[in-house]
Amino acid sequence: MSYAIIGFGEIGHALAKAFARKGIEVSVATTRDPESFASAAAAIGPEIIPTKLAEAVKADVIFLAVRFESYPDVAKALPAWEGKTIVDVTNTYGVSPEELGGQSSARVVAQAFTGGRLVRGFNHLVAAVLEQDPAIHGGRRVLEAVNAHLIHRGQARQRQGDARGC
């Protein structure tokens, strides 16, 4: 299984640290040249591989850690997203319900990633919390995720589960 984080702001950094903590290799991409953030990636660990967007979208699981208004640009990187799981980490701060056309942000984003399986997750945690080791005081952090595929079918269920230590 291959992983990529698209977006390398505070949340992208926090996710990269979680992968590095577990020794899992992950590609990181932005709209900028990978050399522009290579030193920041290297500072996190050797598991963090700076790459171009066109390369990152080849991953099996893609963490969409960009500003909400940037998701359409990422969606255009592939004509179809079949076989991909997109973990939508975006937030709609400052986006009016009218701009979403009366739909949930998950549904709006899922429609842009044609054929992909979209899951919303990690967007309820601020970067400072997300980058901490989840094994705190002998416990583990719980991740709530919503599968947008189920939202489309009207069967959305909110589940809590183990975030596999990430």
Side-chain angles (χ1 to χ4, degrees):
M1 177 106 15
S2 58
Y3 302 95
I5 300 167
I6 299 176
F8 204 46
E10 290 181 20
I11 295 293
H13 273 85
L15 288 168
K17 288 176 182 177
F19 276 94
R21 186 170 41 250
K22 290 297 185 180
I24 301 170
E25 187 173 287
V26 63
S27 297
V28 178
T30 71
T31 55
R32 297 175 288 146
D33 184 284
E35 288 301 314
S36 69
F37 56 92
S39 63
I44 295 172
E47 301 86 0
I48 312 307
I49 312 299
T51 189
K52 293 184 178 193
L53 179 60
E55 198 61 32
V57 297
K58 294 178 183 177
D60 301 311
V61 179
I62 298 159
F63 291 80
L64 184 62
V66 297
R67 295 169 86 56
F68 183 78
E69 59 269 13
S70 298
Y71 82 85
D73 297 328
V74 176
K76 292 174 189 170
L78 285 178
W81 292 80
E82 279 86 7
K84 307 284 183 193
T85 299
I86 300 99
V87 181
D88 177 11
V89 187
T90 65
N91 278 301
T92 55
Y93 297 125
V95 178
S96 71
E98 293 79 25
E99 291 176 74
L100 298 175
Q103 300 182 78
S104 71
S105 62
R107 182 170 287 180
V108 170
V109 174
Q111 289 170 347
F113 289 86
T114 308
R117 182 174 291 276
L118 186 113
V119 178
R120 287 192 45 88
F122 300 101
N123 47 8
H124 65 290
L125 297 172
V126 295
V129 171
L130 185 56
E131 72 181 13
Q132 295 172 3
D133 189 335
I136 301 171
H137 307 294
R140 296 192 130 196
R141 188 174 299 123
V142 173
L143 170 68
E144 294 183 27
V146 176
N147 183 323
H149 178 70
L150 296 177
I151 290 171
H152 284 299
R153 294 182 14 210
Q155 301 171 0
R157 284 181 251 139
Q158 203 164 346
R159 298 180 180 175
Q160 294 182 338
D162 186 310
R164 289 187 31 170
C166 287

